[in-house]
Amino acid sequence: MPKQVIIITGHYPPPFTANAIRAYYMAKSLRKYGFGVTIIPLLSSWRGYRQGEFGEKIISPFTSVKSELKRSSLLQRLQDLVIKRRERSKISNILRNYSPSIIIATLPPIEAIPIASYIAEKLKAPLITDIQDLADDYKIMERPYLYPLIRYYFRGIYRAISEAKLVIATTEFMAEELRKRTKNNNIVVIHNGADTEHYTKCFEIRRKFKAREPIALFLGCLLYTSPSPRDLSTSRMPSSA
């Protein structure tokens, strides 16, 4: 029987978000190397079991208020987080039957790592965290009046990351920042690719939300190798950027 890997993430399968696309390729690679893969999508709008594209199992233990096409209110989201915290043992009991060798949790969503940490401890399985955003930073930019609550919640997230057997980051800057915040040196960088097919579908769905005024601008470099800060300061932006 192949070793079993559990991936606890947000939406799955893609499109919908970049988070789903990254989890999709992670599942594909793990299946390619002979692992059994089970996905727990915490932001699913459906409940039940499905078979994935690569033979991965997809289990949605409950329906989230935050579906693919409807953005929940702040109150609904807080209620959603409380419900999921209460149902951690339910998910743990479901996954016990799979005898997982590894638990992987992605960030976002913000509830995945606390839930995965609880399950990993209960099932005596190592925890790997795949950090795709320094989510507390932009959540504070979005809702500065919730600063104390956000910092308090993320204290538990960073504590779980500090105890993870392996931490995956998407950029060198993020990896360095995570080392400072968690004191965990077991960090590797796996960059995101640019799958235009999936990202186009993702954009077509996400643009249905009414846009508000932007609060931040994020710039990305699509070079094969990441430039140093000195390279960025002395180089000129391509005309197509």
Side-chain angles (χ1 to χ4, degrees):
M1 182 177 177
K3 289 187 175 181
Q4 299 296 312
V5 177
I6 306 296
I7 301 177
I8 300 177
T9 188
H11 296 295
Y12 193 91
F16 310 131
T17 62
N19 179 241
I21 296 170
R22 187 170 170 93
Y24 174 87
Y25 282 106
M26 184 181 291
K28 182 178 181 180
S29 295
L30 288 167
R31 289 293 298 152
K32 177 181 176 181
Y33 287 98
F35 289 91
V37 178
T38 300
I39 312 287
I40 308 293
L42 295 177
L43 299 182
S44 174
S45 59
W46 57 274
R47 183 193 297 244
Y49 297 78
R50 291 183 186 177
Q51 192 75 9
E53 191 171 325
F54 319 112
E56 75 275 28
K57 298 180 180 67
I58 309 171
I59 303 175
S60 182
F62 44 76
T63 303
S64 174
V65 296
K66 189 174 182 181
S67 68
E68 293 89 5
L69 297 177
K70 181 181 178 182
R71 189 180 296 277
S72 58
S73 68
L74 177 60
L75 180 58
Q76 286 177 317
R77 185 65 174 127
L78 290 174
Q79 291 173 334
D80 193 38
L81 293 175
V82 171
I83 291 170
K84 288 173 183 173
R85 181 176 177 82
R86 289 175 181 170
E87 297 198 357
R88 293 178 304 176
S89 59
K90 175 182 176 180
I91 304 174
S92 179
N93 290 333
I94 291 172
L95 297 180
R96 191 180 300 276
N97 298 326
Y98 291 85
S99 302
S101 301
I102 299 171
I103 307 279
I104 300 175
T106 72
L107 176 66
I110 61 173
E111 64 267 39
I113 289 178
I115 289 174
S117 177
Y118 172 88
I119 293 172
E121 183 178 352
K122 289 291 183 182
L123 301 185
K124 302 293 188 282
L127 174 65
I128 295 175
T129 60
D130 182 29
I131 312 301
Q132 302 168 27
D133 284 316
L134 297 174
D136 49 332
D137 289 350
Y138 72 75
K139 287 188 179 297
I140 288 171
M141 285 192 293
E142 185 180 14
R143 294 187 173 98
Y145 55 90
L146 291 179
Y147 179 94
L149 181 61
I150 292 170
R151 285 299 185 209
Y152 175 79
Y153 186 88
F154 271 82
R155 217 178 296 161
I157 292 178
Y158 284 123
R159 184 166 55 249
I161 296 173
S162 70
E163 297 171 354
K165 297 297 182 185
L166 180 67
V167 180
I168 303 171
T170 59
T171 67
E172 285 78 9
F173 170 83
M174 188 183 295
E176 185 58 34
E177 194 63 26
L178 287 168
R179 287 189 189 95
K180 294 176 184 176
R181 298 185 188 191
T182 67
K183 311 303 181 187
N184 190 333
N185 291 317
N186 296 320
I187 300 178
V188 297
V189 176
I190 300 178
H191 298 282
N192 274 330
D195 187 321
T196 55
E197 179 183 356
H198 279 127
Y199 275 94
T200 300
K201 292 177 183 177
C202 174
F203 172 74
E204 288 172 352
I205 290 174
R206 303 297 291 183
R207 72 180 177 181
K208 294 180 182 179
F209 297 126
K210 291 183 179 180
R212 297 185 299 175
E213 291 185 8
I215 57 173
L217 175 65
F218 297 89
L219 299 178
C221 176
L222 299 181
L223 298 175
Y224 286 109
T225 57
S226 298
S228 67
R230 182 177 180 278
D231 292 334
L232 288 174
S233 64
T234 57
S235 63
R236 297 183 64 182
M237 205 52 122
S239 57
S240 60

